[in-house]
Amino acid sequence: MNELKLPSIDYAALAPSLIMLGAALLGVLVEAFVPRRLRHLVQLSLALLAVLGALTMVVLNADDRLITIGGAIAVDGPTLFLQGAILVLAAMALLLIGERSVERGGAFVAQAAFPAESADDRRQAEGVNGATEVYPLTTFAIGGMLIFVAANDLLTMFIALEVFSLPLYLLCALARRRRLLSQEAALKYFMLGAYASAFFLFGVALVYGFTAGIPNGSAGVDFATVNAAVAESTASPLLLFAGMALLSIGLLFKAAAAPFHVWTPDVYQGAPTPITGFMAACTKVAAFGALLRVFHVAFDGARWDFTPVLGAVAVLTMLVGAVLAVTQTDIKRLLAYSSIANAGYLLVGVLAPSRDGLSGTMFYLVAYGFSVLAAFAVVTLVRDADGEATHLSRWAGLGKRSPFYAGVFTFILLAFAGIPLTSGFTSKFAVFGPALDGGQAWLVIAGVLTSMVLAFPYLRVVVMMWLSEPGESTPTVTVPGGLTSAALMIGVIATLVLGVAPAPLLDLATGAAEFVR
Amino acid sequence: MSDFPFLSVLTVAPLVGALVVALVPRSRPELAKQVALGWSLLVLALSVVMWVAFKVGGDRFQFRESYPWIPNWGVNFTFAADGIALVMLMLIAVLVPLVILASWHDAESSKRSVPVYFALLLVLECTMIGVFAAADVFLFYVFFEVMLVPMYFLIGSYGGHQRQYAAVKFFLYSLVGGLFMLAAVIGLWVVGGKTFDWQALSQVDISTGTERWLFLGFFLAFAIKAPFFPFHTWLPDAGGAAPAGAAALLVGVLDKVGTFGILRYCLPLFPDAAKWFAPWALALGLIGIIYAALLAVGQNDLKRLVSYTSIAHFGFIGVGIFAFTTQAGTGAVLYMVNHGLATGLLFLVVGMFVARRGSALVSDFGGAGKLVPLLAGVLFFAGLASLALPGTAPFVSEFLVLIGTFTVNKPVAVIATLGIILAAAYVLWMVQRTTQGTLNPALTEVDGMRRDLNLREKVVVAPLIALIVLLGFYPKPVTDVINPAIQATMQDVGSTDPAPSVGTVQEAAK
């Protein structure tokens, strides 16, 4: 009988994900054993500490370039950079999730099991403390994302995809108010997400079949094998193309690229706003991290085949996001379409076949994450007796009522519109430059044209806030608690700093922009 | 003395001033105004020192400074000024204090914060100086775009009728042009070997097709900014809705960024494409001269009328630039300065009328000269300057443009001359309908119309009138500064003046 050989495991390199998953498990125990009144504090501290610990490990591992546990995980520059990005953005999102002074009891339902609109539901909406299981769920999701961007084979990637998706589906359903909308969003996200996962898995199977065609080699789904198969497999290329297409569907769904974007506006609108921010920032980083790795490492040899298709998806995504954003009347849906359009810009970066393209995309992810979290932080503050006032007409004259927050939001919108001296401009430059350099002028032109369209909805919000007179129903901005203020300020300052002095982060991204193969 | 970092200090100083002014409590508007005025005078003083330190006949670019900004992309804070930039900087420095003084009470009627209005004016000055002082294409682009933000709020928050619509239209038009330019800027960066330095880029050889596309990207942005026909529709709205002071800066300085950009970027960086597109640009200029003048004749709103006249003038500037002769080029740049003075004055005077009457409609006036003779006289003078009467500064520039064009392209010069006749029509008719003839009885019931120019307003108009007359008789100090820069630009394009030259610019000016 053959002796079972265990693969060597570099625990230090895996530490960030292990810490997050361990903290999540610990969080489940906290739910069971810690008295209810202490749970919020304990859970939030635990989650934040775990993020901090994981971030420390990422920094300590900064020089690692290795593949471990039998080729399942790659710890290299992009992995560490993206893990760091996810952790920093997740910490901001956790601050928003933990806020309890803006709304009594927080943004989350006290017991998800109460039927919507029942007497129990109305009572909980009045200010019973929100459920604390959101923390372990979020921590699980962060852990999954950390593995997702580090996965070095398609199966690990699939498992990580599920690990971070399932908690997100649940989190979407936990809004304190407008619960039917929230539950509908969660169900939609879950159903479509399940399909997307199935597509992904089917794609893995087809690619596995394709790798069986390597002469004198063994089949496998790790990226090195796939890469070799693209170069020399004798199997039908149909397997490769179909597999690649199905894999892309799974990943583009998470990235919210058209035509796989239809869930985005509903889910962004229905989910509790801190979770929307978390998804818009961290899920985007994770999804694009995986896209970068799959297309730069595994399918690099098929670049000529996938570029036209992904390019068309990018153009469609930018168009759909920009054009539909114009018609929106709800701020959360507007930001959702803006996030779709941004997925398009990010795809332009993914398709830039160079190290600069890779570093530019990573820079864009970080810059966008900070801005979008700050944007959703403002959204949580504009509220009346019935919760957040998300309809745009309600924002009329906000600049008179609360000039400070209206000013902050204006700044973020200018960043989204790509005005210089904000991170929105530098990040657009960071992806468009390498794309043009790589000969993808058509993508850049599409990007520029859609930016013009997209400027209009942003500007309309600015006009609403500053140039319209406040109406009777204009809500006031709730004075935020310390946690939201901190998240908001981090986001705004990062948006400014990355716009004025992007060099340090660009250096970091450029230094990190090389995959181990 | 020339080691002093003039350009960066000039750029940053108004921004610091803006912060100071913005921090003045809302309850003390007078203090904010005084600080803003003092600060802009400080900038003016510094500019005068810089003007003196500029060596006429020295290097093409002087006061060059460069500090690294984003080394990854080869972006530097590079400032440098040639003669063209220098006169524009001087124009800004002169106009801003006058505009601040003229806008003394403008912000009070809007129920919005007075200090913020003056802070925005100073922020605008910072970006305007930056855009002319930049010698790094990326830096230029940054100022070019950021400039929109203070102007947007000046129009949108402090403007008159239809201000929201005008502000959004202004912003979107400029942003569309800016984004085309962004694509071209990135393209230039890629073909130029990842640098943004103007001097390095002007040495780069670009293939014909690419060069034309890049030219178009830049030209479109500048044509919208200037504005040339058919991209002009935003200007009458913005000019009509903006408060008079902001409008004076809008047409007096902001729009020159377009023509300046063509001279600094389109011609030297893409010389072959510029020649290839020149007939089209000339055509746009001519259409603008005639079409905008006709529309100006038909306007009933004073501020919109002035906006249309300036579109016609930009047609002249465009013709002067794309004629590719030194005379026409010098005339075009001189026109940029003179137009800033003359139209700036016209806008400010119109603003004084509008503030008194509470209406900008020509039909609401009539015989106003009998009530406010001094003000009506200034309006008449500004109008005459605007139609380029000999003896006023715009005449020199218009004449230079026309003779410079005539030597190379007679039909264009002849058609452009028609614009002079139309200019007389719109100016004189406007003056007649507002200030002359029988007194409109409604005017006597308006309190404001019984007050003629007060001291503050006299201080505003006097320097402008003096400059217009002075430069009308003795433009040499300005042309001396402009001429070498234009000659260098024409060399970049590879254009030589026709052999039987009409003489030097100074002789022609006489």
Side-chain angles (χ1 to χ4, degrees):
Chain A
M1 188 180 158
N2 285 337
E3 199 182 339
L4 190 63
K5 259 177 73 181
L6 288 172
S8 74
I9 301 179
D10 185 337
Y11 287 101
L14 294 176
S17 356
L18 293 180
I19 291 174
M20 289 317 295
L21 294 177
L25 293 173
L26 212 59
V28 176
L29 292 179
V30 170
E31 279 302 298
F33 295 112
V34 173
R36 189 177 287 274
R37 65 195 159 75
L38 288 178
R39 270 187 223 161
H40 171 66
L41 187 66
V42 174
Q43 289 281 28
L44 180 61
S45 323
L46 178 65
L48 281 174
L49 275 178
V51 168
L52 208 64
L55 196 59
T56 317
M57 283 314 293
V58 168
V59 174
L60 289 180
N61 288 347
D63 296 325
D64 279 5
R65 300 288 184 267
L66 53 90
I67 293 178
T68 183
I69 4 179
I73 296 284
V75 178
D76 54 10
T79 299
L80 291 164
F81 185 91
L82 293 169
Q83 285 186 338
I86 290 172
L87 288 167
V88 171
L89 296 172
M92 274 174 74
L94 275 171
L95 294 177
L96 291 180
I97 292 171
E99 176 68 63
R100 279 199 165 170
S101 68
V102 169
E103 171 156 26
R104 277 178 61 202
F108 296 91
V109 69
Q111 274 195 39
F114 289 146
E117 312 295 331
S118 66
D120 283 338
D121 184 32
R122 275 192 289 278
R123 200 168 339 106
Q124 69 82 20
E126 290 310 309
V128 181
N129 280 340
T132 43
E133 55 261 37
V134 292
Y135 298 104
L137 285 171
T138 314
T139 322
F140 267 123
I142 300 170
M145 289 172 185
L146 296 187
I147 302 176
F148 195 54
V149 295
N152 194 41
D153 71 45
L154 292 169
L155 269 181
T156 313
M157 191 171 260
F158 175 74
I159 293 166
L161 176 71
E162 293 304 295
V163 170
F164 87 76
S165 294
L166 288 171
L168 279 180
Y169 302 144
L170 276 173
L171 286 167
C172 285
L174 294 181
R176 173 178 292 266
R177 295 166 191 272
R178 301 198 197 110
R179 289 192 54 212
L180 282 178
L181 205 63
S182 169
Q183 288 169 1
E184 184 193 321
L187 196 64
K188 236 177 215 168
Y189 193 21
F190 172 65
M191 298 298 286
L192 291 173
Y195 278 120
S197 300
F199 276 118
F200 186 89
L201 201 55
F202 196 17
V204 176
L206 291 182
V207 171
Y208 181 70
F210 179 70
T211 58
I214 303 179
N216 316 321
S218 58
V221 287
D222 60 298
F223 292 154
T225 310
V226 176
N227 193 13
V230 171
E232 55 194 52
S233 173
T234 53
S236 158
L238 202 64
L239 277 177
L240 171 68
F241 295 147
M244 227 158 50
L246 293 174
L247 280 177
S248 313
I249 291 178
L251 293 174
L252 291 173
F253 172 84
K254 280 289 161 210
F260 317 107
H261 67 283
V262 282
W263 59 275
T264 319
D266 293 336
V267 173
Y268 274 32
Q269 186 185 20
T273 307
I275 297 302
T276 312
F278 177 59
M279 287 195 294
C282 296
T283 308
K284 221 160 215 126
V285 178
F288 274 94
L291 270 170
L292 282 169
R293 191 174 289 278
V294 166
F295 284 103
H296 278 254
V297 178
F299 296 124
D300 195 35
R303 183 166 286 282
W304 286 101
D305 300 309
F306 70 71
T307 300
V309 180
L310 270 192
V313 169
V315 172
L316 187 68
T317 308
M318 294 187 271
L319 266 180
V320 166
V323 171
L324 291 183
V326 173
T327 63
Q328 298 309 311
T329 52
D330 183 284
I331 187 73
K332 282 172 88 176
R333 289 184 81 85
L334 196 159
L335 288 173
Y337 279 104
S338 135
S339 135
I340 293 170
N342 276 290
Y345 302 136
L346 279 160
L347 274 176
V348 175
V350 172
L351 290 174
S354 62
R355 191 170 170 163
D356 284 344
L358 178 56
S359 69
T361 313
M362 295 197 296
F363 179 83
Y364 196 120
L365 284 167
V366 176
Y368 177 71
F370 278 120
S371 308
V372 84
L373 271 169
F376 281 111
V378 176
V379 172
T380 62
L381 297 178
V382 181
R383 55 197 315 140
D384 57 17
D386 296 327
E388 291 163 5
T390 54
H391 198 275
L392 273 185
S393 63
R394 306 284 307 278
W395 286 50
L398 201 70
K400 288 237 174 89
R401 293 275 169 90
S402 340
F404 177 74
Y405 291 101
V408 163
F409 200 64
T410 304
F411 178 71
I412 297 165
L413 288 173
L414 289 178
F416 284 153
I419 301 292
L421 302 185
T422 64
S423 65
F425 172 66
T426 45
S427 49
K428 277 211 177 75
F429 188 90
V431 293
F432 288 171
L436 202 60
D437 202 14
Q440 308 290 341
W442 62 298
L443 290 178
V444 175
I445 290 171
V448 165
L449 289 175
T450 51
S451 301
M452 296 172 191
V453 179
L454 203 53
F456 181 70
Y458 299 143
L459 206 57
R460 212 177 40 161
V461 180
V462 176
V463 170
M464 275 283 185
M465 290 192 301
W466 291 101
L467 309 185
S468 299
E469 293 303 314
E472 298 241 319
S473 64
T474 301
T476 46
V477 170
T478 314
V479 177
L483 296 178
T484 307
S485 305
L488 183 59
M489 279 304 115
I490 294 172
V492 171
I493 291 171
T495 304
L496 180 67
V497 168
L498 293 182
V500 175
L505 187 67
L506 275 173
D507 282 336
L508 198 64
T510 313
E514 197 153 23
F515 289 107
V516 294
R517 285 159 206 272
Chain B
M1 194 62 199
S2 58
D3 292 339
F4 185 77
F6 280 108
L7 293 169
S8 52
V9 172
L10 267 183
T11 310
V12 176
L15 192 64
V16 178
L19 288 178
V20 174
V21 173
L23 290 178
V24 173
R26 215 180 146 158
S27 53
R28 301 192 59 193
E30 291 302 316
L31 181 67
K33 294 172 189 175
Q34 286 153 7
V35 173
L37 182 63
W39 213 281
S40 62
L41 286 173
L42 214 66
V43 173
L44 174 62
L46 191 62
S47 313
V48 172
V49 177
M50 183 177 75
W51 177 277
V52 174
F54 188 85
K55 290 189 198 68
V56 177
D59 292 344
R60 176 180 185 182
F61 287 97
Q62 300 186 19
F63 312 123
R64 190 182 166 84
E65 307 167 45
S66 193
Y67 318 99
W69 181 10
I70 312 173
N72 318 54
W73 298 335
V75 179
N76 293 304
F77 284 108
T78 306
F79 294 104
D82 59 359
I84 306 171
L86 184 75
V87 293
M88 293 314 297
L89 292 175
M90 206 61 214
L91 177 69
I92 297 167
V94 170
L95 274 183
V96 170
L98 297 177
V99 161
I100 288 177
L101 201 57
S103 314
W104 213 249
H105 300 296
D106 275 9
E108 280 152 23
S109 54
S110 70
K111 291 183 286 182
R112 288 171 195 259
S113 165
V114 175
V116 170
Y117 179 82
F118 290 93
L120 283 172
L121 279 179
L122 286 176
V123 173
L124 187 64
E125 183 176 22
C126 155
T127 57
M128 289 188 304
I129 292 179
V131 90
F132 288 108
D136 181 284
V137 181
F138 189 93
L139 188 63
F140 172 81
Y141 180 80
V142 166
F143 282 117
F144 186 86
E145 288 282 271
V146 173
M147 204 163 57
L148 303 180
V149 179
M151 198 64 205
Y152 169 80
F153 282 106
L154 280 172
I155 299 175
S157 300
Y158 299 92
H161 185 54
Q162 278 213 319
R163 56 199 165 87
Q164 291 190 19
Y165 169 78
V168 172
K169 193 169 174 182
F170 160 76
F171 198 94
L172 283 182
Y173 260 73
S174 306
L175 193 68
V176 165
L179 285 168
F180 277 116
M181 191 163 101
L182 175 63
V185 165
I186 299 176
L188 183 64
W189 177 69
V190 169
V191 297
K194 310 279 169 74
T195 176
F196 281 110
D197 186 67
W198 186 90
Q199 269 163 338
L201 287 172
S202 61
Q203 310 297 327
V204 173
D205 270 331
I206 310 171
S207 70
T208 310
T210 316
E211 187 181 343
R212 285 182 190 165
W213 282 111
L214 296 181
F215 175 89
L216 267 187
F218 276 89
F219 182 76
L220 205 59
F222 296 142
I224 290 175
K225 195 68 151 190
F228 291 147
F229 175 86
F231 312 107
H232 63 281
T233 59
W234 64 269
L235 182 63
D237 290 318
L249 286 181
L250 179 69
V251 296
V253 179
L254 228 64
D255 292 353
K256 265 76 168 198
V257 174
T259 47
F260 172 80
I262 292 174
L263 275 170
R264 171 68 73 77
Y265 296 94
C266 284
L267 301 195
L269 297 184
F270 320 112
D272 297 326
K275 273 192 215 148
W276 197 77
F277 281 108
W280 300 97
L282 284 173
L284 288 187
L286 283 182
I287 297 174
I289 293 175
I290 306 293
Y291 175 76
L294 288 174
L295 285 179
V297 173
Q299 286 307 310
N300 191 31
D301 182 305
L302 281 170
K303 282 155 108 182
R304 290 179 71 89
L305 191 151
V306 181
S307 302
Y308 276 113
T309 69
S310 82
I311 297 170
H313 292 158
F314 277 105
F316 270 108
I317 301 178
V319 168
I321 291 172
F322 281 97
F324 296 137
T325 61
T326 314
Q327 278 167 346
T330 307
V333 178
L334 195 58
Y335 211 136
M336 283 156 64
V337 178
N338 294 339
H339 175 265
L341 298 173
T343 308
L345 176 66
L346 194 56
F347 247 121
L348 293 177
V349 177
V350 164
M352 290 169 193
F353 268 105
V354 174
R356 285 172 165 74
R357 178 67 178 92
S359 157
L361 297 183
V362 173
S363 50
D364 282 345
F365 291 90
K370 301 194 172 55
L371 295 174
V372 282
L374 211 53
L375 185 56
V378 177
L379 179 72
F380 188 55
F381 178 83
L384 291 181
S386 210
L387 67 78
L389 189 80
T392 59
F395 169 73
V396 184
S397 39
E398 203 162 291
F399 194 68
L400 274 176
V401 168
L402 287 175
I403 54 168
T405 311
F406 192 79
T407 54
V408 287
N409 196 335
K410 294 191 175 57
V412 171
V414 170
I415 299 173
T417 312
L418 286 178
I420 300 184
I421 302 168
L422 287 169
Y426 58 69
V427 167
L428 294 178
W429 206 35
M430 181 265 286
V431 170
Q432 187 212 344
R433 283 186 298 166
T434 48
T435 61
Q436 292 165 352
T438 49
L439 179 64
N440 181 349
L443 280 185
T444 50
E445 288 155 30
V446 183
D447 282 343
M449 289 306 291
R450 285 191 223 107
R451 287 197 314 270
D452 209 342
L453 286 182
N454 61 25
L455 181 66
R456 174 178 62 82
E457 288 164 333
K458 282 179 192 154
V459 173
V460 171
V461 297
L464 287 173
I465 294 175
L467 276 173
I468 289 171
V469 174
L470 187 74
L471 292 179
F473 283 98
Y474 191 63
K476 190 168 177 301
V478 180
T479 50
D480 279 353
V481 171
I482 298 171
N483 226 339
I486 284 295
Q487 275 167 357
T489 307
M490 291 304 144
Q491 263 168 21
D492 288 337
V493 190
S495 174
T496 47
D497 292 338
S501 175
V502 219
T504 66
V505 169
Q506 284 77 30
E507 283 167 37
K510 287 165 197 162

